[in-house]
Every structure is written in C-alpha cells, then in structure tokens.
Amino acid sequence: MSYADAFARSIADPQGFWNEAARAVTWSRAPGRVLDRDDAPFYRWFPDGELNTCFNALDRHVEAGRGERLALIYDSPVTGTVRRFTYAELLAEVARFAGVLRDLGVAEGDRVVIYMPMVPEAVVAMLACARLGAVHSVVFGGFAPKELAVRIDDARPKVVVSASCGIEPSRVVPYKPMLDAALDLAAHRLERCVILQREQAVAELVPGRDVDWAAAMTSAATGPAGCVPVKATDPLYILYTSGTTGLPKGVVRDNGGHAVALLWSMHNVYGALPDDVFWAASDVGWVVGHSYIVYGPLLLGAATVLYEGKPVGTPDAGAFWRVIAEHGVNTLFTAPTAFRAIKREDPAATLLGKYDVSSLRTLFLAGERLDPDTYHWASEKLGVPVIDHWWQTETGWPVAANLRGLEPMPIKPGSPTVPVPGYDVRVLDGDGRECAPGQEGAICLRLPLPPGALPTLWQDDGRYVGSYLSAFPGHYLTGDGGYRDEDGYLFVMGRTDDVINVAGHRLSTGSMEAVLAAHPAVAECAVIGVADALKGQVPRGFVVLKSGVEADPDVVCAELVRAVRDEVGAVASLKRVDVVPALPKTRSGKILRKTMRGMAEGADEPVPSTIEDATVLDVLRPVIAPPREP
Ligand SMILES: CCC(=O)SCCNC(=O)CCNC(=O)[C@H](O)C(C)(C)COP(=O)(O)OP(=O)(O)OC[C@H]1O[C@@H](n2cnc3c(N)ncnc32)[C@H](O)[C@@H]1OP(=O)(O)O
C-alpha cells in the first residue's frame, strides 16, 4: 500500500484500518468493537478487547519457539559491563520479579513508581508491572526529590522500585537518599520499596519498608507470576510530562491501543524487522525509552539495546560507533543534541573510522528540532538516511515521519516529512481556520486521536480537556507551532507556550520560576529558554530583588542556580541567573517573555505596543543580550 492510500484510509475508515493492524497483536479476548465514540471527546480503542502487554512483548515469542533469540543487550560503559538476555531469559526475570511485586501486594490496577538508572532491572520492573496488570510510572533519574514526590503524590503507588545509585560520567549519583527525601516530602504513604543495590554506592535500607532486589528475587517464597489479562482500555502506564503551569501532567497510556500502534509503527515507520537490533539511545524515563527501548522492539520480537552511557565522555566521541559495531545495530534513534555533542568533539568523525558500522540502515532523530547542520553532518558521515520525525509524550509514537517501511519519501532538511497514518494533522490560525501552505499556525490533530495516543490525563479528565481540547473544539492542541508546505510536508517551528526543550528534555519554565520566586530576596522573576548550540535551548533566569535587600547579587544568583538544581534536578541545566532592575511587562502585568527571548538571542526585537514602560528594555539589554562579536 502506498503512503497516500494508507493515510487516506486511516482517516476515512479508522476502524477498518486499525482493526487490520490489531490482528498483529495476541489478544486473550479479540476486540469486537474497534472505536468507542460514545463518550466523546473521550475516545476508547478496542473497548471490549482483552490482552496482556507483557505476554505480547515476551511470552508469545517464547511460545513461538523464539526463546533463544536476543531480546535485550545492556551496554554500560560507565560500569564496563555488557549483558545479553534472550527472550526466554528476560521472561524468566520478569515473571520472577512480577512474583516479588505480587507478594508485596501489587495487583491489577495498582500503581508502581520506578525511579531507576539505565539498568536491565528497570526494564524488568516495567514489564513485571505490565504482567500483573499493574500501572507503572517511571520517573527520570535526573529529577530531584521534590519532583519525584509530586509524582508519587499524584500516582499514589503501592510500591516504589529504585536503585542505590545512578552513574554519570563524572560522578556516582546516590538515588536512595533522593528517594528517602521524596518519601519524606510526599503526603502519600506507600507500603514498600524495592531497592537494587549497586556496588558503586550501596544504600542503607529502611527495615520493614525496603526490600533488597537481589534477596527478593532469590527468596524461596517467591514464585514466578503469570500474565493477568486486562481490558484494552486499562492503563499500562502513567508518564508525567511538564506542562506550562502547576503539576506535571500524568499522561495515561492504555494497553490495547498502545500495543497495536507501536507494533504498526515498528515496521511502517522505522522499517524494523523481527531479527533486527534496535537502539533508542534515550532513557527509560522518557517516552522514547518506554516506546522504543522497551515496548516497540520487544512487541516486534527484535533485540533492543539499553545503553548506560553518553554520546561523548564514555569514553569518547566514538561511543555510539562502538555500540553500533559491537552489537550490529540496524536502527539508531536518538536526539539531535547527542549528534551535536559528537560533532563538537570530533568534527571530522575520525573515530568513526575505527569501527565497522555497516549494519546501520537508518538514523532516526527526534525530541527537539533537527537543525540542518546536524542533519547534513550525520548524513555525510554515516552515509545512511537520516530521518527527522516528530512526536510527543502525549502521542506515544510518531505523528509526522518519513515512513521507511511503508513508503520512503524524499527528505527535506528541517521537516519531519508527512503526517503518519492515523494522525489528521491540521495547522490552524487563531480563528481555527486552516492555514494556507507556508502560513504558520498552531499544529493540531483532529479527533479522534489514533490508538496509542493518550486517552486522558491520570484522574484528571477536566485538565485533559482544558489543556488539549478546548482551544480548537474537535482538535487536540499539540502546543507546537509550524506550517505545511505545498507538498504537504510539515515544518515544526517550536513550542507556542512556556515549555522549553533542553537537550531533548521537555521542561517547564514555570516550575523553575516557582523555585526562584520562593527565595526570600526575590521580588519577581522570569525564566526563558534561549537558543544554545549544543542543547538546542537552555534556560536563563532573571530576577528583580526586593527593595532593601543587601545581599551580594552574585551570591543570590549562585543560591538560585543551586536551588533549581536541588528542587527540579540537574537535568534542568539552569546555569545562569541575572539580577535586573525590572522585567518588561504589558500594561496588564504579563511578562514579555517572547521579547526577552528575542533580545537574549540577539534578535532585533521590535518594542511591543502593549509594553507598559519601554525604558525597561534599555536597562535590560546589556544584561540579557549576548556579547557582540569584536
Ligand atoms: C519524541 C518524544 C520525546 O521528545 S521524548 C524525549 C526525548 N529526549 C531524549 O531522549 C533525551 C535526549 N538527551 C540525552 O539523552 C542527553 O541529554 C544527552 C544528549 C545524552 C546528553 O546527556 P548529558 O551530558 O547528561 O546532559 P543533560 O543535559 O542530559 O544532563 C544535564 C545534567 O543532568 C545530569 N543527568 C542527566 N541524566 C541524569 C540521570 N539519569 N540521573 C542523574 N543525573 C542525570 C547530567 O549529569 C548533567 O549534570 P551536570 O549539570 O553536568 O552536572
């Protein structure tokens, strides 16, 4: 089928299109209905189907005689370890850990928070939850205790699974003290924690609450657990993502639609085959890790690489080439920032010459805008198609891509190509009318969203509607702006709200502002995202001090940088805060962040007509603007 036919059918007859795709999944009860529109805008896919996602990811491959095939390759340059698991071995680990969770009282529908570094046990814990019909919520290890506590309070887990430490190239990061601090901060009281002890920093366990992973796995009392069939519409996981304001949003993923969509995407979008080695160089704490380190490749029956390292510094800028060569990687998926880091360290890619990377068929990039320089560098050095594609935590799988398995298309640098079948992408102007080709507007998706995309936010239907469905009735608002060209190619220009993207990590400036505003010396503040050659964007903070404050401004700024690191996490990467005499505002008191961003990036910003006091810009300019080239 051509792309045009597949896309047209997916929009005109979504039920027929996805019913066919659903046949690739093993159901314990095959769905009789495909799409339930009765409670719109809360659409439900495969409402009467039943399945188990872990069964589809592991057991069915073993039952089909593929148990000896490679499922998971753990490659950890930070510990000097490589471990390989066949499907049969991974299944045995998962079933046993599901037994541990079951014995700790975890049952269908219970939540389990997973706060772990990139170790195989993180994957085992996720799949064990899926096996029991429990709902996992993985929290990225770069978040600080307060962020973890907020997520624990929202998800209200029965158990937390964590590790004694994570390992960054320059330091060991003790996770357990952060978990303990989060549990002190959280209002929710949970019953048990399972802790994986790592030799780099062994943690103290709290008697009666904490369980040692290894001891629990070898306990004679614990037997393996079988798969619990759940409704297709039951949640598989909650994954929190930054919103503009307030608490992070708990994106819900269901079981049935997710399995169908991911399996479809593995071949049609990524061109992957069951015997492939697929490597998503991301983190299990992000949606890329959920969809394309864990579920997608395993649902397909491919081998997936779990990499505990960085593109540079572990040990050098040849790390990615070494992993491709050593494990025969066919598809690499990472964020542009990773390639910018490699390019900066080894511009001529001399280290590439040391490795045989001929197994690599395609490089996929996503998570932030792919700048043309990085695109050209990667294409030229690797000599394989470099595919930009675009999607979000909320959608769970690609919205726009060059579909390598369905019909590869000519590449236009700067564009993630065309809407993926299932996604009725519309670019709308402020009045909700479709923009003409080339005209920029809000990128929206006409409802219903396809299987696999979020059905709602965790226990907050109202916020789901308010955040995504209210701006343009009948459409999901992505929060990104952009345009389509005459050929229907999509160009995504960036967020239209105060969410920023730092090294492929989606962060809320609002949560950083909340930390700055809490400092006793600060009267008001603003955090903006500014362009950065390596990380795409980095945050910068500006504060106005309260009158009468006598503290040294440099000391206050250093305290503020520290506070954001302690309260949001190292991943926020807020390295610079400046004291300014005033912030530019509209007459109604709204801070002119867009104007500040333009000034910080050296643009010739026009003075907005709504500004309350234009002279503020003159005093701000020397602080905010980048130094001029000599
Ligand atoms: C398509 C849908 C989506 O968008 S899903 C999201 C996709 N995004 C991604 O996959 C993320 C891609 N980015 C990355 O993998 C990393 O940023 C890469 C490129 C590897 C660079 O890593 P790194 O050098 O650590 O820089 P960074 O900006 O990520 O980190 C900033 C500081 O945070 C720390 N950090 C990072 N991860 C952890 C962790 N798991 N546990 C504890 N700390 C962590 C880093 O060490 C760094 O700290 P420091 O400021 O240098 O002291």
Side-chain angles (χ1 to χ4, degrees):
M1 194 187 284
S2 69
Y3 163 74
D5 289 346
F7 181 78
R9 178 150 187 244
S10 76
I11 302 303
D13 176 22
Q15 311 224 33
F17 185 89
W18 291 112
N19 195 26
E20 241 164 61
R23 290 191 197 125
V25 166
T26 302
W27 302 86
S28 35
R29 180 173 165 201
R33 293 178 74 196
V34 179
L35 175 61
D36 178 359
R37 298 172 178 266
D38 293 349
D39 192 23
F42 300 99
Y43 298 92
R44 296 287 182 260
W45 288 94
F46 313 110
D48 56 356
E50 284 183 10
L51 77 165
N52 182 281
T53 298
C54 178
F55 179 88
N56 276 276
L58 298 177
D59 304 58
R60 73 167 174 161
H61 304 307
V62 176
E63 288 183 9
R66 295 169 52 86
E68 296 318 308
R69 300 204 79 97
L70 214 47
L72 179 69
I73 302 163
Y74 166 59
D75 186 305
S76 170
V78 293
T79 58
T81 315
V82 173
R83 273 170 75 194
R84 294 180 175 81
F85 299 77
T86 64
Y87 271 92
E89 287 165 347
L90 188 57
L91 171 56
E93 290 286 304
V94 168
R96 185 156 274 274
F97 191 64
V100 170
L101 290 177
R102 177 200 55 202
D103 295 350
L104 293 175
V106 175
E108 187 180 342
D110 287 338
R111 274 80 57 215
V112 174
V113 162
I114 299 172
Y115 183 61
M116 294 190 99
M118 289 285 285
V119 290
E121 288 80 1
V123 178
V124 168
M126 290 166 76
L127 290 164
C129 291
R131 194 168 188 83
L132 295 175
V135 182
H136 61 70
S137 186
V138 183
V139 178
F140 176 61
F143 281 124
K146 192 161 165 238
E147 293 289 324
L148 176 58
V150 163
R151 287 155 175 80
I152 287 174
D153 275 341
D154 197 62
R156 306 180 63 77
K158 201 165 233 179
V159 168
V160 173
V161 184
S162 189
S164 57
C165 66
I167 302 162
E168 289 294 295
S170 58
R171 64 193 191 284
V172 170
V173 182
Y175 275 37
K176 180 61 170 34
M178 290 202 276
L179 171 62
D180 290 339
L183 293 175
D184 284 345
L185 287 169
H188 174 66
R189 294 281 153 247
L190 54 79
E191 291 163 25
R192 307 302 283 267
C193 299
V194 184
I195 307 296
L196 175 76
Q197 293 282 22
R198 305 186 81 190
E199 64 184 23
Q200 292 79 3
V202 173
E204 241 178 69
L205 302 187
V206 175
R209 187 196 74 185
D210 296 346
V211 178
D212 176 75
W213 174 294
M217 287 289 266
T218 49
S219 152
T222 300
C227 291
V228 176
V230 294
K231 287 192 192 137
T233 52
D234 282 345
L236 169 68
Y237 69 77
I238 309 165
L239 181 57
Y240 289 89
T241 190
S242 299
T244 318
T245 53
L247 297 173
K249 298 170 183 163
V251 168
V252 173
R253 195 79 59 216
D254 67 10
N255 274 273
H258 173 253
V260 171
L262 283 196
L263 204 40
W264 187 91
S265 73
M266 284 302 293
H267 178 64
N268 288 283
V269 176
Y270 294 100
L273 300 166
D275 288 338
D276 278 0
V277 178
F278 195 93
W279 179 23
S282 179
D283 189 288
V284 288
W286 305 117
V287 71
V288 172
H290 282 61
S291 295
Y292 296 111
I293 295 176
V294 182
Y295 289 110
L298 296 178
L299 287 167
L300 182 68
T304 185
V305 178
L306 182 78
Y307 176 66
E308 189 182 28
K310 305 279 173 177
V312 299
T314 57
D316 58 28
F320 273 25
W321 322 140
R322 197 258 314 150
V323 173
I324 294 169
E326 200 167 318
H327 307 302
V329 171
N330 305 113
T331 306
L332 169 60
F333 175 170
T334 189
T337 189
F339 265 71
R340 286 196 295 268
I342 298 170
K343 177 172 164 241
R344 191 168 77 163
E345 206 131 299
D346 182 16
T350 45
L351 292 169
L352 187 55
K354 281 176 59 182
Y355 302 97
D356 174 4
V357 295
S358 57
S359 61
L360 189 69
R361 284 197 305 263
T362 325
L363 168 65
F364 284 87
L365 296 169
E368 53 175 326
R369 184 172 170 270
L370 172 58
D371 53 287
D373 269 4
T374 306
Y375 164 77
H376 288 298
W377 187 85
S379 310
E380 188 201 308
K381 300 298 178 211
L382 287 172
V384 299
V386 174
I387 307 300
D388 185 9
H389 63 319
W390 172 70
W391 50 293
Q392 309 183 309
T393 304
E394 288 87 343
T395 66
W397 63 288
V399 177
N402 197 319
L403 292 103
R404 303 306 293 174
L406 186 60
E407 183 191 339
M409 291 183 165
I411 291 169
K412 294 191 190 186
S415 167
T417 316
V418 289
V420 169
Y423 287 103
D424 192 352
V425 176
R426 308 285 172 114
V427 179
L428 303 181
D429 69 14
D431 298 324
R433 281 188 298 258
E434 275 203 63
C435 293
Q439 184 193 346
E440 232 180 275
I443 303 179
C444 298
L445 310 174
R446 241 180 104 80
L447 299 177
L449 297 175
L454 82 169
T456 189
L457 293 176
W458 177 247
Q459 298 200 322
D460 206 344
D461 287 349
R463 193 172 180 205
Y464 171 62
V465 173
S467 303
Y468 300 107
L469 308 185
S470 300
F472 299 103
H475 295 81
Y476 164 90
L477 179 75
T478 66
D480 276 292
Y483 65 93
R484 294 182 78 173
D485 73 4
E486 298 284 351
D487 300 324
Y489 278 53
L490 186 69
F491 289 78
V492 182
M493 306 310 289
R495 297 292 300 187
T496 54
D497 55 19
D498 291 327
V499 169
I500 60 171
N501 193 314
V502 181
H505 309 307
R506 184 166 142 183
L507 300 168
S508 149
T509 52
S511 67
M512 291 183 234
E513 285 179 2
V515 176
L516 301 190
H519 191 285
V522 171
E524 51 183 359
C525 65
V527 174
I528 56 170
V530 299
D532 180 79
L534 181 64
K535 298 197 179 202
Q537 271 188 312
V538 288
R540 271 187 72 183
F542 299 91
V543 295
V544 179
L545 298 185
K546 286 179 181 158
S547 61
V549 165
E550 285 178 3
D552 178 346
D554 288 346
V555 172
V556 173
C557 290
E559 283 170 6
L560 292 170
V561 167
R562 183 80 238 167
V564 169
R565 194 175 170 94
D566 289 347
E567 292 190 36
V568 179
V571 71
S573 292
L574 179 75
K575 306 273 186 204
R576 182 167 170 193
V577 176
D578 289 292
V579 173
V580 291
L583 294 169
K585 290 187 192 154
T586 62
R587 282 184 282 279
S588 59
K590 198 168 172 285
I591 295 172
L592 288 161
R593 290 184 174 77
K594 187 165 169 288
T595 307
M596 293 174 72
R597 202 161 53 234
M599 288 168 73
E601 291 174 359
D604 212 358
E605 270 304 304
V607 178
S609 58
T610 52
I611 197 162
E612 183 190 32
D613 176 4
T615 62
V616 170
L617 296 180
D618 299 330
V619 285
L620 205 56
R621 193 162 282 113
V623 184
I624 201 169
R628 289 191 186 282
E629 296 291 323

